[in-house]
Amino acid sequence: MSIVSDNMKYLRKLHGLTQDQFARRVGIKRASVGAYEEQRANPNIDVLKAMSKLFSVSVDDLLKKDLRKIRETPNLIPMDKPSPTPLVAEPTPTEPQTLSSIFEQYYTPSSAPRPASTVVAAPKPVVPPEPPKIVATPPPVFQAPSFNNVYENTSSTHINQTPTIETEKSNSPIIQYVRRSDFKNYADKFNQGDYLKRLPTFQFPLLAEGTYRAFEAGDDFVLPKALLVGHYVNNWYDIADGKIYIMVARNLGVVCRRVYNQVKIKGTLLLSSDNASIPTFEVSLKDVMEVWEIKAFFSTVLPEPTVSLDHLKHLVNQMQEELNRIKK
């Protein structure tokens, strides 16, 4: 749906709206605006109707007509060049300008004389910004990732891109560490950059490049006194059945669970623990704020053998009983 994507970006910039301002006007998330404009997802009918009302353009025109080719817009900076300042001031309660009024103001056929009232002065030249000054390399800046916890029944399987954590160049990723005693505080401030940059960090050379965070394990992990290293999952599509994840959710906090993906069926994730004393339950996808897939762990306790001698003896007895039954 390249036409509607181009029209969305064109009309948004024509009215001087940022992606965040446009998202608030039509009642969607800013990340969805980026996905629509980059053709990684298709807007549903409710979004198209909201755009039609906001810009006074029919839904049919949004879907079928390339509005950029209808006319030239002298006051609009080309889309492939960054705008140093917003095209207009912050939105006001007044109604948005319709396309018909814009046509009358800026466009006149070449065969007809342009009325004096519609003559528009040439746009002021854009002064290029001054070259950036060379400064010392700043310390690592940790930006809060954004997990896609919205189920949209579309063919796209990647709505958000994996966020990048800017760190100093190194062969090993920088891993932030969250103590168990700080879990409640982390659940409240997990998306605040000032809080994240104060977390302690370490490096582990065996991990591939990516965004990682470590969490101190409790009774919900099979080994006590363990440190779990998780790789950030930015989309619920990537949650695989049976794998262990660290999950941050509303009214739940930070937990470690084996997860089963039921989003397409029920809109939920099933959380199960390897600890038999912890019950299995479901959590709604919309309540999930962060998901980290466990890629490594550190523990001061070595794991016990997975099969005990008593269990092997029980299996041998079962086999003997089966042989006796066959002989009869």
Side-chain angles (χ1 to χ4, degrees), residues 168-251:
E168 58 186 11
K169 291 185 178 180
S170 173
N171 293 329
S172 303
I174 294 180
I175 304 172
Q176 296 165 293
Y177 165 48
V178 184
R179 296 180 176 87
R180 190 165 186 83
S181 59
D182 198 36
F183 276 7
K184 185 178 185 305
N185 196 29
Y186 178 84
D188 295 333
K189 301 179 180 180
F190 69 96
N191 58 352
Q192 298 180 14
D194 291 341
Y195 167 75
L196 294 178
K197 69 182 181 181
R198 293 196 299 268
L199 292 176
T201 61
F202 66 95
Q203 290 181 279
F204 185 49
L206 300 183
L207 295 175
E209 183 178 353
T211 302
Y212 295 89
R213 196 156 294 159
F215 299 84
E216 185 179 350
D219 297 336
D220 46 5
F221 189 67
V222 65
L223 295 177
K225 299 181 180 179
L227 184 64
L228 309 179
V229 180
H231 182 262
Y232 181 73
V233 179
N234 78 313
N235 201 312
W236 63 265
Y237 288 97
D238 299 325
I239 298 176
D241 288 342
K243 288 189 175 182
I244 301 179
Y245 296 87
I246 288 289
M247 185 169 297
V248 183
R250 296 183 182 89
N251 303 321

Coordinates of all heavy atoms in Angstrom, one line a residue, residues 168-251:
E168 N 30.2 2.5 24.0 CA 31.6 2.6 23.5 C 31.9 1.4 22.6 O 31.4 0.3 22.9 CB 32.5 2.8 24.6 CG 32.5 1.6 25.6 CD 33.4 1.8 26.8 OE1 33.9 3.0 26.9 OE2 33.6 0.9 27.5
K169 N 32.7 1.5 21.6 CA 33.0 0.4 20.7 C 33.8 -0.7 21.5 O 34.8 -0.4 22.2 CB 33.8 0.9 19.5 CG 33.0 1.8 18.6 CD 33.9 2.2 17.4 CE 33.0 3.0 16.4 NZ 33.8 3.4 15.2
S170 N 33.3 -1.9 21.4 CA 33.9 -3.0 22.1 C 33.5 -4.3 21.4 O 32.5 -4.4 20.8 CB 33.5 -3.0 23.6 OG 33.9 -4.2 24.2
N171 N 34.3 -5.3 21.6 CA 34.0 -6.6 21.0 C 32.9 -7.3 21.8 O 32.3 -8.3 21.4 CB 35.2 -7.5 21.0 CG 36.3 -7.0 20.0 OD1 35.9 -6.4 19.0 ND2 37.5 -7.2 20.3
S172 N 32.7 -6.9 23.0 CA 31.7 -7.5 23.9 C 30.6 -6.5 24.2 O 30.9 -5.3 24.5 CB 32.3 -8.0 25.2 OG 33.3 -8.9 24.9
P173 N 29.3 -6.9 24.2 CA 28.2 -5.9 24.6 C 28.3 -5.5 26.0 O 28.7 -6.3 26.9 CB 26.9 -6.7 24.2 CG 27.3 -8.1 24.4 CD 28.8 -8.2 23.9
I174 N 27.9 -4.3 26.3 CA 27.8 -3.8 27.7 C 26.4 -4.2 28.2 O 25.4 -3.9 27.6 CB 27.9 -2.3 27.8 CG1 29.4 -1.9 27.3 CG2 27.7 -1.8 29.2 CD1 29.6 -0.4 27.4
I175 N 26.4 -4.9 29.4 CA 25.2 -5.5 29.9 C 24.9 -4.8 31.2 O 25.7 -4.7 32.1 CB 25.4 -7.0 30.2 CG1 25.8 -7.7 28.9 CG2 24.1 -7.6 30.8 CD1 26.2 -9.1 29.2
Q176 N 23.7 -4.2 31.3 CA 23.2 -3.6 32.6 C 22.7 -4.7 33.5 O 22.1 -5.6 33.1 CB 22.1 -2.6 32.2 CG 22.6 -1.4 31.4 CD 21.5 -0.6 30.8 OE1 20.7 -1.1 30.0 NE2 21.3 0.6 31.3
Y177 N 22.8 -4.4 34.8 CA 22.5 -5.4 35.8 C 21.5 -4.9 36.8 O 21.6 -3.8 37.3 CB 23.8 -5.8 36.5 CG 23.6 -6.6 37.8 CD1 22.8 -7.7 37.9 CD2 24.3 -6.2 39.0 CE1 22.6 -8.4 39.1 CE2 24.2 -6.9 40.1 CZ 23.3 -8.0 40.2 OH 23.2 -8.7 41.4
V178 N 20.4 -5.7 36.9 CA 19.3 -5.3 37.8 C 19.2 -6.3 39.0 O 19.0 -7.5 38.8 CB 17.9 -5.3 37.1 CG1 16.8 -4.8 38.0 CG2 18.0 -4.4 35.8
R179 N 19.4 -5.7 40.2 CA 19.4 -6.6 41.4 C 17.9 -6.9 41.7 O 17.0 -6.1 41.4 CB 20.0 -5.9 42.6 CG 21.5 -5.6 42.4 CD 22.1 -5.0 43.6 NE 23.5 -4.8 43.5 CZ 24.1 -3.8 42.9 NH1 23.4 -2.8 42.4 NH2 25.5 -3.7 42.9
R180 N 17.7 -8.0 42.4 CA 16.3 -8.5 42.7 C 15.7 -7.5 43.7 O 14.5 -7.2 43.6 CB 16.4 -9.9 43.3 CG 15.0 -10.5 43.5 CD 15.0 -12.0 43.8 NE 13.7 -12.5 43.8 CZ 13.0 -12.9 42.7 NH1 13.6 -12.7 41.5 NH2 11.8 -13.4 42.8
S181 N 16.4 -6.9 44.5 CA 15.9 -5.9 45.5 C 15.4 -4.6 44.8 O 14.7 -3.8 45.4 CB 17.0 -5.5 46.5 OG 18.1 -5.0 45.9
D182 N 15.8 -4.4 43.5 CA 15.4 -3.2 42.8 C 14.4 -3.5 41.7 O 14.1 -2.7 40.9 CB 16.7 -2.6 42.1 CG 16.5 -1.2 41.7 OD1 15.8 -0.4 42.4 OD2 17.0 -0.8 40.6
F183 N 13.8 -4.7 41.7 CA 12.8 -5.1 40.7 C 11.6 -4.2 40.7 O 11.1 -3.8 39.6 CB 12.3 -6.6 40.9 CG 13.2 -7.6 40.3 CD1 14.5 -7.2 39.8 CD2 12.9 -8.9 40.3 CE1 15.3 -8.2 39.2 CE2 13.7 -9.9 39.8 CZ 15.0 -9.5 39.2
K184 N 11.1 -3.8 41.9 CA 9.9 -3.0 41.9 C 10.2 -1.6 41.3 O 9.4 -1.0 40.5 CB 9.4 -2.8 43.3 CG 8.1 -2.0 43.4 CD 7.6 -1.9 44.9 CE 6.2 -1.3 44.9 NZ 6.2 0.1 44.3
N185 N 11.4 -1.1 41.7 CA 11.8 0.2 41.1 C 12.0 0.1 39.6 O 11.7 1.1 38.9 CB 13.1 0.7 41.8 CG 13.4 2.2 41.6 OD1 12.4 3.0 41.4 ND2 14.6 2.5 41.6
Y186 N 12.6 -1.0 39.1 CA 12.8 -1.2 37.7 C 11.5 -1.2 36.9 O 11.4 -0.7 35.8 CB 13.6 -2.4 37.5 CG 13.9 -2.7 36.0 CD1 14.9 -2.1 35.4 CD2 13.1 -3.6 35.3 CE1 15.2 -2.4 34.0 CE2 13.3 -3.8 34.0 CZ 14.4 -3.2 33.3 OH 14.6 -3.5 32.0
A187 N 10.5 -1.9 37.5 CA 9.2 -2.0 36.8 C 8.5 -0.7 36.6 O 7.8 -0.5 35.7 CB 8.3 -3.0 37.6
D188 N 8.8 0.3 37.5 CA 8.3 1.6 37.4 C 9.1 2.5 36.5 O 8.5 3.5 35.9 CB 8.2 2.3 38.8 CG 7.2 1.6 39.7 OD1 6.3 0.9 39.2 OD2 7.4 1.6 40.9
K189 N 10.4 2.3 36.3 CA 11.3 3.2 35.6 C 12.0 2.6 34.5 O 13.0 3.1 34.0 CB 12.3 3.8 36.6 CG 11.6 4.6 37.8 CD 12.7 5.1 38.7 CE 12.1 5.9 39.9 NZ 13.1 6.4 40.8
F190 N 11.6 1.4 34.0 CA 12.3 0.6 33.0 C 12.5 1.4 31.7 O 13.4 1.1 30.9 CB 11.6 -0.7 32.7 CG 10.3 -0.5 31.9 CD1 10.3 -0.6 30.5 CD2 9.1 -0.2 32.6 CE1 9.1 -0.4 29.8 CE2 8.0 0.0 31.9 CZ 7.9 -0.1 30.5
N191 N 11.7 2.4 31.4 CA 11.8 3.2 30.2 C 12.3 4.6 30.4 O 12.2 5.5 29.5 CB 10.4 3.3 29.5 CG 9.4 3.9 30.4 OD1 9.6 4.1 31.6 ND2 8.2 4.1 29.8
Q192 N 12.9 4.9 31.5 CA 13.5 6.2 31.8 C 15.0 6.1 31.7 O 15.7 5.4 32.4 CB 13.1 6.6 33.2 CG 11.6 6.8 33.4 CD 11.3 7.2 34.9 OE1 12.2 7.7 35.6 NE2 10.0 7.1 35.2
G193 N 15.5 6.9 30.7 CA 17.0 6.9 30.4 C 17.8 7.3 31.6 O 18.9 6.7 31.8
D194 N 17.4 8.3 32.4 CA 18.2 8.7 33.5 C 18.4 7.6 34.5 O 19.4 7.4 35.2 CB 17.5 9.9 34.2 CG 17.6 11.2 33.4 OD1 18.5 11.2 32.5 OD2 16.8 12.1 33.6
Y195 N 17.3 6.7 34.7 CA 17.4 5.6 35.6 C 18.3 4.5 35.1 O 19.1 3.9 35.8 CB 16.0 5.1 35.9 CG 16.0 3.7 36.6 CD1 16.3 3.6 37.9 CD2 15.7 2.6 35.9 CE1 16.3 2.4 38.6 CE2 15.7 1.3 36.5 CZ 16.0 1.2 37.8 OH 16.0 0.0 38.4
L196 N 18.1 4.2 33.8 CA 18.9 3.1 33.2 C 20.4 3.4 33.2 O 21.2 2.4 33.4 CB 18.4 2.9 31.7 CG 17.0 2.4 31.5 CD1 16.7 2.3 30.1 CD2 16.8 1.1 32.2
K197 N 20.8 4.6 33.0 CA 22.2 4.9 32.9 C 22.9 4.8 34.3 O 24.1 4.7 34.4 CB 22.5 6.2 32.3 CG 22.1 7.4 33.1 CD 22.4 8.7 32.4 CE 22.0 10.0 33.2 NZ 22.2 11.2 32.5
R198 N 22.1 4.7 35.3 CA 22.7 4.5 36.7 C 22.8 3.1 37.1 O 23.4 2.8 38.1 CB 21.8 5.3 37.7 CG 21.8 6.8 37.6 CD 21.3 7.4 38.8 NE 19.9 7.1 39.1 CZ 18.8 7.7 38.7 NH1 19.0 8.8 37.9 NH2 17.6 7.3 39.0
L199 N 22.3 2.2 36.3 CA 22.4 0.7 36.6 C 23.9 0.3 36.4 O 24.6 0.7 35.5 CB 21.5 -0.1 35.6 CG 20.0 0.1 35.8 CD1 19.3 -0.7 34.7 CD2 19.5 -0.4 37.2
P200 N 24.3 -0.6 37.3 CA 25.7 -1.2 37.1 C 25.8 -2.0 35.9 O 24.8 -2.5 35.4 CB 25.9 -2.1 38.4 CG 24.5 -2.4 38.8 CD 23.6 -1.2 38.5
T201 N 27.0 -2.1 35.3 CA 27.2 -2.7 34.0 C 28.4 -3.7 34.1 O 29.3 -3.5 35.0 CB 27.5 -1.8 32.9 OG1 28.6 -1.0 33.2 CG2 26.3 -0.8 32.7
F202 N 28.4 -4.7 33.2 CA 29.6 -5.6 33.0 C 29.6 -6.0 31.6 O 28.7 -5.7 30.8 CB 29.5 -6.7 34.0 CG 28.4 -7.7 33.8 CD1 28.6 -8.8 33.0 CD2 27.1 -7.4 34.3 CE1 27.5 -9.7 32.8 CE2 26.1 -8.3 34.1 CZ 26.3 -9.5 33.3
Q203 N 30.6 -6.8 31.2 CA 30.7 -7.3 29.9 C 31.0 -8.8 29.9 O 31.6 -9.3 30.8 CB 31.9 -6.6 29.1 CG 31.6 -5.2 28.8 CD 32.7 -4.5 28.0 OE1 33.7 -4.1 28.6 NE2 32.6 -4.4 26.7
F204 N 30.4 -9.5 28.9 CA 30.6 -11.0 28.8 C 31.0 -11.3 27.3 O 30.2 -11.0 26.4 CB 29.2 -11.6 29.1 CG 29.3 -13.1 29.2 CD1 30.3 -13.8 29.9 CD2 28.4 -13.9 28.5 CE1 30.4 -15.2 29.9 CE2 28.4 -15.3 28.6 CZ 29.5 -15.9 29.2
P205 N 32.2 -11.9 27.1 CA 32.7 -12.0 25.8 C 32.1 -13.0 24.9 O 32.3 -13.0 23.7 CB 34.2 -12.3 26.0 CG 34.2 -13.0 27.3 CD 33.1 -12.3 28.1
L206 N 31.2 -13.9 25.4 CA 30.7 -15.0 24.6 C 29.4 -14.6 23.9 O 28.8 -15.5 23.2 CB 30.5 -16.2 25.5 CG 31.8 -16.8 26.1 CD1 31.5 -18.1 26.9 CD2 32.9 -17.0 25.1
L207 N 28.9 -13.4 24.1 CA 27.6 -13.1 23.5 C 27.7 -12.4 22.2 O 28.7 -11.6 22.0 CB 26.8 -12.1 24.5 CG 26.4 -12.8 25.8 CD1 25.8 -11.7 26.7 CD2 25.4 -13.9 25.6
A208 N 26.8 -12.6 21.3 CA 26.8 -11.9 20.0 C 26.3 -10.5 20.2 O 25.8 -10.1 21.3 CB 25.8 -12.7 19.0
E209 N 26.5 -9.7 19.2 CA 26.1 -8.3 19.2 C 24.6 -8.2 19.4 O 23.8 -8.9 18.9 CB 26.5 -7.6 17.9 CG 26.2 -6.1 17.9 CD 26.7 -5.4 16.6 OE1 27.3 -6.1 15.8 OE2 26.3 -4.2 16.4
G210 N 24.2 -7.2 20.3 CA 22.7 -7.0 20.5 C 22.5 -6.2 21.8 O 23.4 -5.7 22.4
T211 N 21.2 -6.2 22.2 CA 20.8 -5.4 23.4 C 20.6 -6.5 24.5 O 19.7 -7.3 24.4 CB 19.6 -4.6 23.2 OG1 19.8 -3.7 22.1 CG2 19.2 -3.8 24.4
Y212 N 21.3 -6.4 25.6 CA 21.2 -7.3 26.7 C 21.0 -6.6 28.0 O 21.3 -5.5 28.2 CB 22.5 -8.2 26.8 CG 22.8 -9.0 25.6 CD1 23.5 -8.6 24.5 CD2 22.3 -10.4 25.6 CE1 23.8 -9.4 23.4 CE2 22.6 -11.2 24.5 CZ 23.3 -10.7 23.4 OH 23.6 -11.5 22.3
R213 N 20.4 -7.4 29.0 CA 20.2 -6.9 30.3 C 20.2 -8.1 31.3 O 19.7 -9.2 30.9 CB 18.9 -6.1 30.5 CG 18.9 -5.3 31.8 CD 17.9 -4.1 31.6 NE 18.4 -3.2 30.6 CZ 17.7 -2.3 30.0 NH1 16.4 -2.2 30.2 NH2 18.2 -1.5 29.1
A214 N 20.8 -8.0 32.4 CA 20.9 -9.1 33.4 C 20.0 -8.9 34.6 O 19.9 -7.7 35.0 CB 22.4 -9.3 33.8
F215 N 19.4 -9.9 35.1 CA 18.5 -9.9 36.2 C 18.9 -11.0 37.2 O 19.2 -12.1 36.8 CB 17.0 -10.1 35.7 CG 16.6 -9.0 34.8 CD1 16.8 -9.2 33.4 CD2 15.9 -7.9 35.2 CE1 16.4 -8.2 32.5 CE2 15.4 -7.0 34.3 CZ 15.7 -7.1 32.9
E216 N 18.8 -10.6 38.5 CA 19.1 -11.6 39.5 C 17.9 -12.5 39.7 O 16.8 -12.0 39.8 CB 19.4 -10.8 40.8 CG 19.8 -11.7 42.0 CD 20.1 -10.9 43.2 OE1 20.2 -9.7 43.2 OE2 20.3 -11.6 44.3
A217 N 18.2 -13.8 39.6 CA 17.1 -14.8 39.7 C 16.7 -15.1 41.1 O 17.4 -14.9 42.1 CB 17.5 -16.1 39.0
G218 N 15.4 -15.5 41.3 CA 14.9 -15.9 42.6 C 14.4 -17.4 42.5 O 15.0 -18.2 41.8
D219 N 13.3 -17.7 43.2 CA 12.8 -19.0 43.3 C 12.2 -19.5 41.9 O 11.9 -20.6 41.7 CB 11.7 -19.1 44.4 CG 12.3 -18.9 45.7 OD1 13.6 -19.1 45.9 OD2 11.6 -18.5 46.7
D220 N 11.9 -18.5 41.0 CA 11.3 -18.8 39.8 C 12.3 -19.4 38.7 O 11.9 -19.7 37.6 CB 10.6 -17.6 39.2 CG 11.4 -16.4 39.2 OD1 12.6 -16.4 39.6 OD2 10.9 -15.3 38.8
F221 N 13.6 -19.5 39.1 CA 14.6 -20.2 38.3 C 15.1 -21.4 38.9 O 15.2 -21.5 40.2 CB 15.7 -19.2 38.0 CG 16.7 -19.7 36.9 CD1 16.3 -19.8 35.6 CD2 18.0 -20.0 37.3 CE1 17.2 -20.3 34.6 CE2 18.9 -20.4 36.3 CZ 18.5 -20.6 35.0
V222 N 15.4 -22.4 38.1 CA 15.7 -23.7 38.7 C 17.0 -23.7 39.6 O 17.1 -24.5 40.5 CB 15.9 -24.8 37.5 CG1 17.1 -24.4 36.7 CG2 16.0 -26.2 38.1
L223 N 18.0 -22.8 39.3 CA 19.2 -22.8 40.1 C 19.1 -21.5 41.0 O 18.9 -20.4 40.5 CB 20.4 -22.7 39.2 CG 20.7 -24.0 38.4 CD1 21.9 -23.8 37.5 CD2 20.9 -25.2 39.3
P224 N 19.4 -21.7 42.3 CA 19.4 -20.5 43.2 C 20.6 -19.6 43.0 O 21.6 -20.1 42.4 CB 19.4 -21.1 44.6 CG 20.0 -22.4 44.4 CD 19.7 -22.9 43.0
K225 N 20.5 -18.4 43.4 CA 21.7 -17.5 43.3 C 22.3 -17.4 41.9 O 23.5 -17.4 41.7 CB 22.8 -17.9 44.3 CG 22.3 -17.9 45.8 CD 23.4 -18.3 46.7 CE 23.0 -18.3 48.2 NZ 24.1 -18.7 49.1
A226 N 21.4 -17.2 41.0 CA 21.8 -17.1 39.6 C 21.6 -15.7 39.0 O 20.8 -14.9 39.5 CB 21.1 -18.1 38.7
L227 N 22.4 -15.4 38.0 CA 22.3 -14.1 37.3 C 21.9 -14.5 35.9 O 22.6 -15.1 35.2 CB 23.6 -13.3 37.4 CG 23.5 -11.9 36.7 CD1 22.6 -11.0 37.5 CD2 24.9 -11.3 36.7
L228 N 20.7 -14.0 35.4 CA 20.2 -14.4 34.1 C 20.5 -13.2 33.1 O 20.1 -12.1 33.4 CB 18.7 -14.6 34.2 CG 18.2 -15.6 35.3 CD1 16.7 -15.7 35.3 CD2 18.9 -16.9 35.1
V229 N 21.1 -13.5 32.0 CA 21.4 -12.6 31.0 C 20.4 -12.7 29.8 O 20.3 -13.8 29.2 CB 22.8 -12.7 30.4 CG1 23.1 -11.7 29.3 CG2 23.8 -12.6 31.6
G230 N 19.6 -11.7 29.6 CA 18.5 -11.7 28.6 C 18.8 -10.8 27.4 O 19.4 -9.8 27.5
H231 N 18.4 -11.3 26.2 CA 18.5 -10.6 25.0 C 17.1 -10.0 24.7 O 16.1 -10.6 24.7 CB 18.9 -11.5 23.8 CG 19.1 -10.8 22.5 ND1 18.1 -10.8 21.5 CD2 20.1 -10.0 22.0 CE1 18.5 -10.0 20.5 NE2 19.7 -9.6 20.8
Y232 N 17.1 -8.7 24.3 CA 15.8 -7.9 24.2 C 15.0 -8.5 23.1 O 15.5 -8.7 21.9 CB 16.1 -6.4 24.0 CG 14.8 -5.6 23.9 CD1 14.0 -5.4 25.0 CD2 14.4 -5.2 22.7 CE1 12.9 -4.7 24.9 CE2 13.2 -4.4 22.6 CZ 12.4 -4.2 23.7 OH 11.3 -3.5 23.6
V233 N 13.7 -8.7 23.3 CA 12.7 -9.1 22.3 C 11.8 -7.9 22.1 O 11.1 -7.5 23.0 CB 11.9 -10.3 22.8 CG1 10.9 -10.7 21.7 CG2 12.8 -11.5 23.1
N234 N 11.8 -7.4 20.8 CA 11.0 -6.2 20.6 C 9.6 -6.5 20.0 O 8.8 -5.5 19.9 CB 11.8 -5.2 19.7 CG 11.7 -5.7 18.2 OD1 11.8 -6.8 17.9 ND2 11.3 -4.7 17.4
N235 N 9.3 -7.7 19.7 CA 8.0 -8.0 19.1 C 7.5 -9.3 19.6 O 8.2 -10.3 19.7 CB 8.2 -8.1 17.5 CG 6.9 -7.8 16.8 OD1 5.8 -8.4 17.1 ND2 6.9 -7.0 15.8
W236 N 6.2 -9.4 19.9 CA 5.6 -10.6 20.4 C 5.6 -11.7 19.4 O 5.6 -12.9 19.8 CB 4.2 -10.3 20.9 CG 3.2 -9.9 19.8 CD1 2.9 -8.6 19.5 CD2 2.5 -10.8 18.9 NE1 2.0 -8.7 18.4 CE2 1.7 -9.9 18.1 CE3 2.4 -12.1 18.8 CZ2 0.9 -10.4 17.1 CZ3 1.5 -12.6 17.8 CH2 0.8 -11.8 16.9
Y237 N 5.8 -11.4 18.1 CA 5.9 -12.5 17.1 C 7.1 -13.4 17.4 O 7.1 -14.5 17.0 CB 6.0 -11.9 15.7 CG 4.7 -11.3 15.1 CD1 4.5 -9.9 15.2 CD2 3.8 -12.0 14.5 CE1 3.4 -9.3 14.7 CE2 2.6 -11.5 14.0 CZ 2.4 -10.1 14.1 OH 1.3 -9.5 13.6
D238 N 8.1 -12.8 18.0 CA 9.4 -13.5 18.2 C 9.4 -14.4 19.4 O 10.5 -15.0 19.7 CB 10.6 -12.5 18.2 CG 10.7 -11.8 16.9 OD1 10.4 -12.4 15.8 OD2 11.0 -10.6 16.9
I239 N 8.4 -14.4 20.2 CA 8.3 -15.2 21.4 C 8.0 -16.6 21.1 O 6.9 -16.9 20.5 CB 7.3 -14.6 22.4 CG1 7.6 -13.2 22.8 CG2 7.1 -15.5 23.6 CD1 6.6 -12.6 23.7
A240 N 8.9 -17.5 21.3 CA 8.8 -18.9 20.9 C 8.3 -19.8 22.1 O 8.7 -19.5 23.2 CB 10.1 -19.5 20.4
D241 N 7.5 -20.8 21.8 CA 6.9 -21.6 22.8 C 8.0 -22.4 23.5 O 8.9 -23.0 22.9 CB 5.9 -22.6 22.2 CG 4.6 -21.9 21.8 OD1 4.4 -20.8 22.2 OD2 3.9 -22.5 21.0
G242 N 7.9 -22.5 24.9 CA 8.8 -23.3 25.7 C 10.1 -22.7 26.1 O 10.8 -23.3 26.9
K243 N 10.4 -21.5 25.6 CA 11.7 -20.9 25.9 C 11.5 -20.1 27.2 O 10.4 -19.7 27.6 CB 12.2 -20.0 24.8 CG 12.8 -20.8 23.6 CD 13.5 -19.8 22.6 CE 14.1 -20.6 21.5 NZ 14.8 -19.7 20.6
I244 N 12.6 -19.8 27.9 CA 12.6 -19.1 29.2 C 12.9 -17.6 28.9 O 13.8 -17.3 28.2 CB 13.6 -19.7 30.2 CG1 13.3 -21.2 30.4 CG2 13.6 -18.9 31.5 CD1 14.3 -21.8 31.4
Y245 N 12.0 -16.8 29.5 CA 12.1 -15.3 29.3 C 12.0 -14.6 30.6 O 11.4 -15.1 31.6 CB 11.0 -14.8 28.4 CG 11.0 -15.3 27.0 CD1 10.4 -16.5 26.7 CD2 11.6 -14.6 26.0 CE1 10.4 -17.0 25.4 CE2 11.6 -15.1 24.7 CZ 11.0 -16.3 24.4 OH 11.0 -16.8 23.1
I246 N 12.7 -13.5 30.7 CA 12.4 -12.5 31.8 C 11.3 -11.5 31.3 O 11.4 -11.0 30.2 CB 13.7 -11.7 32.2 CG1 14.7 -12.6 32.9 CG2 13.3 -10.5 33.0 CD1 14.2 -12.9 34.3
M247 N 10.2 -11.4 32.0 CA 9.1 -10.6 31.6 C 8.8 -9.5 32.6 O 8.8 -9.7 33.8 CB 7.9 -11.5 31.3 CG 6.7 -10.8 30.7 SD 5.5 -12.0 30.2 CE 6.4 -12.8 28.9
V248 N 8.5 -8.3 32.1 CA 8.1 -7.2 32.9 C 6.7 -6.8 32.5 O 6.4 -6.5 31.3 CB 9.0 -5.9 32.7 CG1 8.6 -4.8 33.7 CG2 10.5 -6.3 33.0
A249 N 5.7 -6.9 33.4 CA 4.3 -6.7 33.1 C 3.6 -5.9 34.2 O 4.1 -6.0 35.4 CB 3.6 -8.0 32.9
R250 N 2.5 -5.3 33.9 CA 1.8 -4.5 34.9 C 1.2 -5.5 35.9 O 0.7 -6.5 35.5 CB 0.7 -3.7 34.2 CG 1.2 -2.6 33.2 CD 0.0 -1.8 32.6 NE 0.5 -0.8 31.7 CZ 0.6 -1.1 30.4 NH1 0.4 -2.3 29.9 NH2 1.1 -0.1 29.6
N251 N 1.1 -5.0 37.1 CA 0.6 -5.8 38.3 C 1.3 -7.1 38.5 O 0.8 -8.0 39.2 CB -0.9 -6.0 38.0 CG -1.7 -4.7 37.9 OD1 -1.4 -3.8 38.6 ND2 -2.7 -4.7 37.0

